[in-house]
Amino acid sequence: ALLEASPPPLGAMGLVPSLEAEQEEVMEVIGREHGYRVHHVEPGSPGAVAGLQSILDYIVVANGVRVDDDDGELVAMIAESKDRPLTLCVFNTHTLQTREVTLVPNDSWGGKGLLGITIRFDVLHAPDRHTLRVLGVYEGSPASRAGLDPYNDYILAVGDLLVEGLSEFNDIIVHNTRRLVLLYVYSAATEAVREVGIVPDDAWGGEGMLGCALGAGYLHTLPQSRLRAGRGLCSRGDGAAGTEASLARPPGAAAEA
């Protein structure tokens, strides 16, 4: 397998160097391996402080244990680690790298959950399959009021849904006319994902319900990240690689952590 888990007593994993030739190998985990996709990240939460990124980040190992089943083990481990350091190995489907983050679950940070994040068990999804690029924004439109940035912004998800192309996205927008819709938007300028609230409106005075032009397909995929430099495998802190564990199951329900 390509994503690894260290034996529990040895802790979780860090980054080790990788070669460009391994790009094709690491791509094999996309669509095959599973983890917990990060959705909402509450500002100021332990998850936000640790730099967890909505939609693109998947938690694959916790305290050296591979979390590849929707069996509640990760949520239980978070609860058991209250007020104590918890080390996570996170795989990013854009940079195709893993990284190690350490955070302290707690109920004193000021919001809901011990980490302040929402997670969903799912297969690792290639972002290009559910990415819509913002190509133009009309002045005074709902998209303009929401702050969408042409050519820099890419819509990754609508609420809890990873949409498969423009047709499905349009269906969701029409179904939610004059109701608040939450978009997860990646900025090529900042390489960050933000949440954007937008209200579709067929009476705003211009073309479309959002007032923006969108593109999908090969020409509108996410630009390569400046952080993307091949594959990184989680190791044990001392630089030694962990023992291998498999990173295929249906997506689970969203859970707060």
Side-chain angles (χ1 to χ4, degrees), residues 37-67:
R37 183 172 63 246
V38 177
H39 271 267
H40 175 71
V41 180
E42 193 70 26
S45 66
V49 172
L52 293 180
Q53 191 173 48
S54 296
I55 309 302
L56 301 175
D57 273 350
Y58 288 74
I59 299 169
V60 295
V61 176
N63 280 349
V65 178
R66 178 73 178 92
V67 285

Short mmCIF file of all heavy atoms in Angstrom, two decimals, residues 37-67:
data_model
loop_
_atom_site.label_atom_id
_atom_site.label_comp_id
_atom_site.label_asym_id
_atom_site.label_seq_id
_atom_site.Cartn_x
_atom_site.Cartn_y
_atom_site.Cartn_z
N ARG A 37 -12.41 12.61 5.11
CA ARG A 37 -12.28 13.90 4.46
C ARG A 37 -12.68 15.02 5.43
O ARG A 37 -13.71 14.95 6.12
CB ARG A 37 -13.15 13.98 3.20
CG ARG A 37 -12.99 15.29 2.43
CD ARG A 37 -13.71 15.27 1.09
NE ARG A 37 -15.14 15.11 1.22
CZ ARG A 37 -15.82 14.05 0.80
NH1 ARG A 37 -15.21 13.03 0.22
NH2 ARG A 37 -17.13 13.99 0.94
N VAL A 38 -11.88 16.06 5.48
CA VAL A 38 -12.18 17.23 6.30
C VAL A 38 -13.14 18.13 5.54
O VAL A 38 -12.87 18.49 4.39
CB VAL A 38 -10.89 17.99 6.66
CG1 VAL A 38 -11.23 19.25 7.45
CG2 VAL A 38 -9.93 17.10 7.44
N HIS A 39 -14.26 18.48 6.16
CA HIS A 39 -15.20 19.42 5.54
C HIS A 39 -15.09 20.77 6.24
O HIS A 39 -14.11 21.48 6.05
CB HIS A 39 -16.63 18.86 5.58
CG HIS A 39 -16.97 18.02 4.40
ND1 HIS A 39 -17.59 18.52 3.27
CD2 HIS A 39 -16.76 16.71 4.15
CE1 HIS A 39 -17.74 17.56 2.37
NE2 HIS A 39 -17.25 16.45 2.88
N HIS A 40 -16.04 21.09 7.06
CA HIS A 40 -16.02 22.39 7.74
C HIS A 40 -14.90 22.44 8.78
O HIS A 40 -14.69 21.49 9.54
CB HIS A 40 -17.37 22.64 8.41
CG HIS A 40 -17.43 23.88 9.23
ND1 HIS A 40 -17.43 25.14 8.67
CD2 HIS A 40 -17.48 24.05 10.58
CE1 HIS A 40 -17.48 26.03 9.64
NE2 HIS A 40 -17.51 25.41 10.80
N VAL A 41 -14.18 23.55 8.78
CA VAL A 41 -13.17 23.81 9.81
C VAL A 41 -13.54 25.13 10.48
O VAL A 41 -13.54 26.18 9.85
CB VAL A 41 -11.75 23.90 9.22
CG1 VAL A 41 -10.73 24.18 10.31
CG2 VAL A 41 -11.40 22.61 8.47
N GLU A 42 -13.87 25.07 11.75
CA GLU A 42 -14.30 26.27 12.48
C GLU A 42 -13.11 27.20 12.73
O GLU A 42 -12.06 26.77 13.21
CB GLU A 42 -14.92 25.85 13.82
CG GLU A 42 -15.68 26.95 14.53
CD GLU A 42 -16.97 27.33 13.84
OE1 GLU A 42 -17.54 26.49 13.12
OE2 GLU A 42 -17.41 28.49 14.03
N PRO A 43 -13.24 28.48 12.39
CA PRO A 43 -12.15 29.43 12.65
C PRO A 43 -11.76 29.45 14.13
O PRO A 43 -12.62 29.42 15.01
CB PRO A 43 -12.74 30.78 12.22
CG PRO A 43 -13.82 30.43 11.24
CD PRO A 43 -14.40 29.12 11.73
N GLY A 44 -10.48 29.47 14.39
CA GLY A 44 -9.99 29.53 15.76
C GLY A 44 -9.98 28.20 16.48
O GLY A 44 -9.58 28.14 17.65
N SER A 45 -10.42 27.14 15.82
CA SER A 45 -10.48 25.81 16.45
C SER A 45 -9.12 25.14 16.42
O SER A 45 -8.22 25.56 15.68
CB SER A 45 -11.50 24.94 15.71
OG SER A 45 -11.04 24.66 14.39
N PRO A 46 -8.93 24.07 17.19
CA PRO A 46 -7.68 23.31 17.09
C PRO A 46 -7.41 22.84 15.67
O PRO A 46 -6.25 22.82 15.23
CB PRO A 46 -7.92 22.13 18.05
CG PRO A 46 -8.86 22.67 19.08
CD PRO A 46 -9.78 23.57 18.31
N GLY A 47 -8.46 22.45 14.94
CA GLY A 47 -8.27 22.02 13.56
C GLY A 47 -7.77 23.14 12.66
O GLY A 47 -6.93 22.93 11.79
N ALA A 48 -8.29 24.34 12.87
CA ALA A 48 -7.85 25.50 12.09
C ALA A 48 -6.43 25.88 12.43
O ALA A 48 -5.62 26.17 11.54
CB ALA A 48 -8.79 26.68 12.33
N VAL A 49 -6.09 25.86 13.70
CA VAL A 49 -4.73 26.20 14.13
C VAL A 49 -3.72 25.21 13.54
O VAL A 49 -2.60 25.59 13.19
CB VAL A 49 -4.64 26.21 15.67
CG1 VAL A 49 -3.20 26.36 16.13
CG2 VAL A 49 -5.50 27.34 16.24
N ALA A 50 -4.14 23.94 13.40
CA ALA A 50 -3.26 22.91 12.84
C ALA A 50 -3.16 23.00 11.32
O ALA A 50 -2.38 22.27 10.70
CB ALA A 50 -3.75 21.53 13.24
N GLY A 51 -3.97 23.88 10.69
CA GLY A 51 -3.89 24.07 9.25
C GLY A 51 -4.65 23.06 8.43
O GLY A 51 -4.35 22.87 7.24
N LEU A 52 -5.65 22.38 9.01
CA LEU A 52 -6.44 21.42 8.23
C LEU A 52 -7.22 22.16 7.13
O LEU A 52 -7.78 23.23 7.36
CB LEU A 52 -7.40 20.66 9.14
CG LEU A 52 -6.73 19.73 10.16
CD1 LEU A 52 -7.79 19.01 11.01
CD2 LEU A 52 -5.83 18.71 9.47
N GLN A 53 -7.25 21.56 5.95
CA GLN A 53 -7.83 22.20 4.77
C GLN A 53 -9.09 21.47 4.32
O GLN A 53 -9.06 20.27 4.06
CB GLN A 53 -6.80 22.23 3.64
CG GLN A 53 -7.18 23.10 2.46
CD GLN A 53 -6.05 23.22 1.45
OE1 GLN A 53 -5.46 22.23 1.07
NE2 GLN A 53 -5.74 24.43 1.03
N SER A 54 -10.18 22.20 4.23
CA SER A 54 -11.46 21.60 3.83
C SER A 54 -11.36 20.96 2.46
O SER A 54 -10.69 21.46 1.56
CB SER A 54 -12.55 22.68 3.81
OG SER A 54 -12.78 23.20 5.09
N ILE A 55 -12.05 19.83 2.29
CA ILE A 55 -12.26 19.09 1.04
C ILE A 55 -11.00 18.38 0.54
O ILE A 55 -11.05 17.22 0.13
CB ILE A 55 -12.81 20.00 -0.09
CG1 ILE A 55 -14.05 20.77 0.42
CG2 ILE A 55 -13.16 19.18 -1.31
CD1 ILE A 55 -15.18 19.90 0.92
N LEU A 56 -9.85 19.03 0.57
CA LEU A 56 -8.63 18.45 0.01
C LEU A 56 -7.88 17.56 1.00
O LEU A 56 -7.12 16.68 0.60
CB LEU A 56 -7.71 19.56 -0.49
CG LEU A 56 -8.30 20.48 -1.56
CD1 LEU A 56 -7.32 21.61 -1.88
CD2 LEU A 56 -8.66 19.69 -2.82
N ASP A 57 -8.06 17.77 2.30
CA ASP A 57 -7.35 16.99 3.32
C ASP A 57 -8.17 15.78 3.76
O ASP A 57 -9.38 15.88 3.99
CB ASP A 57 -7.07 17.85 4.56
CG ASP A 57 -5.78 18.64 4.45
OD1 ASP A 57 -5.00 18.39 3.52
OD2 ASP A 57 -5.54 19.50 5.33
N TYR A 58 -7.46 14.64 3.89
CA TYR A 58 -8.04 13.40 4.42
C TYR A 58 -7.18 12.92 5.58
O TYR A 58 -5.96 12.79 5.43
CB TYR A 58 -8.08 12.31 3.35
CG TYR A 58 -9.12 12.51 2.26
CD1 TYR A 58 -8.93 13.46 1.26
CD2 TYR A 58 -10.27 11.73 2.21
CE1 TYR A 58 -9.87 13.63 0.25
CE2 TYR A 58 -11.21 11.90 1.21
CZ TYR A 58 -11.01 12.85 0.23
OH TYR A 58 -11.93 13.02 -0.77
N ILE A 59 -7.82 12.65 6.71
CA ILE A 59 -7.11 12.06 7.85
C ILE A 59 -7.01 10.57 7.60
O ILE A 59 -8.02 9.89 7.40
CB ILE A 59 -7.85 12.34 9.16
CG1 ILE A 59 -7.95 13.86 9.41
CG2 ILE A 59 -7.15 11.64 10.34
CD1 ILE A 59 -8.88 14.23 10.55
N VAL A 60 -5.78 10.05 7.58
CA VAL A 60 -5.58 8.63 7.25
C VAL A 60 -4.96 7.83 8.39
O VAL A 60 -5.05 6.60 8.41
CB VAL A 60 -4.74 8.47 5.96
CG1 VAL A 60 -5.49 9.02 4.76
CG2 VAL A 60 -3.38 9.15 6.09
N VAL A 61 -4.31 8.50 9.33
CA VAL A 61 -3.69 7.83 10.47
C VAL A 61 -3.86 8.72 11.69
O VAL A 61 -3.74 9.94 11.61
CB VAL A 61 -2.18 7.58 10.22
CG1 VAL A 61 -1.51 6.97 11.45
CG2 VAL A 61 -1.97 6.66 9.02
N ALA A 62 -4.16 8.11 12.84
CA ALA A 62 -4.25 8.85 14.10
C ALA A 62 -3.46 8.11 15.16
O ALA A 62 -3.70 6.93 15.42
CB ALA A 62 -5.72 8.99 14.53
N ASN A 63 -2.51 8.80 15.75
CA ASN A 63 -1.63 8.20 16.77
C ASN A 63 -1.06 6.86 16.32
O ASN A 63 -1.02 5.89 17.08
CB ASN A 63 -2.36 8.05 18.10
CG ASN A 63 -2.41 9.36 18.88
OD1 ASN A 63 -1.73 10.33 18.54
ND2 ASN A 63 -3.22 9.40 19.91
N GLY A 64 -0.64 6.81 15.06
CA GLY A 64 0.00 5.61 14.54
C GLY A 64 -0.95 4.52 14.09
O GLY A 64 -0.51 3.48 13.63
N VAL A 65 -2.26 4.74 14.19
CA VAL A 65 -3.25 3.73 13.83
C VAL A 65 -3.92 4.13 12.52
O VAL A 65 -4.45 5.23 12.39
CB VAL A 65 -4.33 3.57 14.93
CG1 VAL A 65 -5.38 2.55 14.50
CG2 VAL A 65 -3.68 3.17 16.24
N ARG A 66 -3.89 3.25 11.54
CA ARG A 66 -4.53 3.49 10.24
C ARG A 66 -6.04 3.49 10.42
O ARG A 66 -6.63 2.51 10.88
CB ARG A 66 -4.10 2.40 9.25
CG ARG A 66 -4.74 2.53 7.88
CD ARG A 66 -4.17 3.70 7.08
NE ARG A 66 -4.79 3.72 5.77
CZ ARG A 66 -5.88 4.41 5.48
NH1 ARG A 66 -6.48 5.14 6.41
NH2 ARG A 66 -6.38 4.38 4.27
N VAL A 67 -6.70 4.60 10.07
CA VAL A 67 -8.15 4.72 10.21
C VAL A 67 -8.79 4.54 8.83
O VAL A 67 -9.05 5.50 8.12
CB VAL A 67 -8.55 6.06 10.87
CG1 VAL A 67 -8.26 6.03 12.36
CG2 VAL A 67 -7.82 7.24 10.23
#
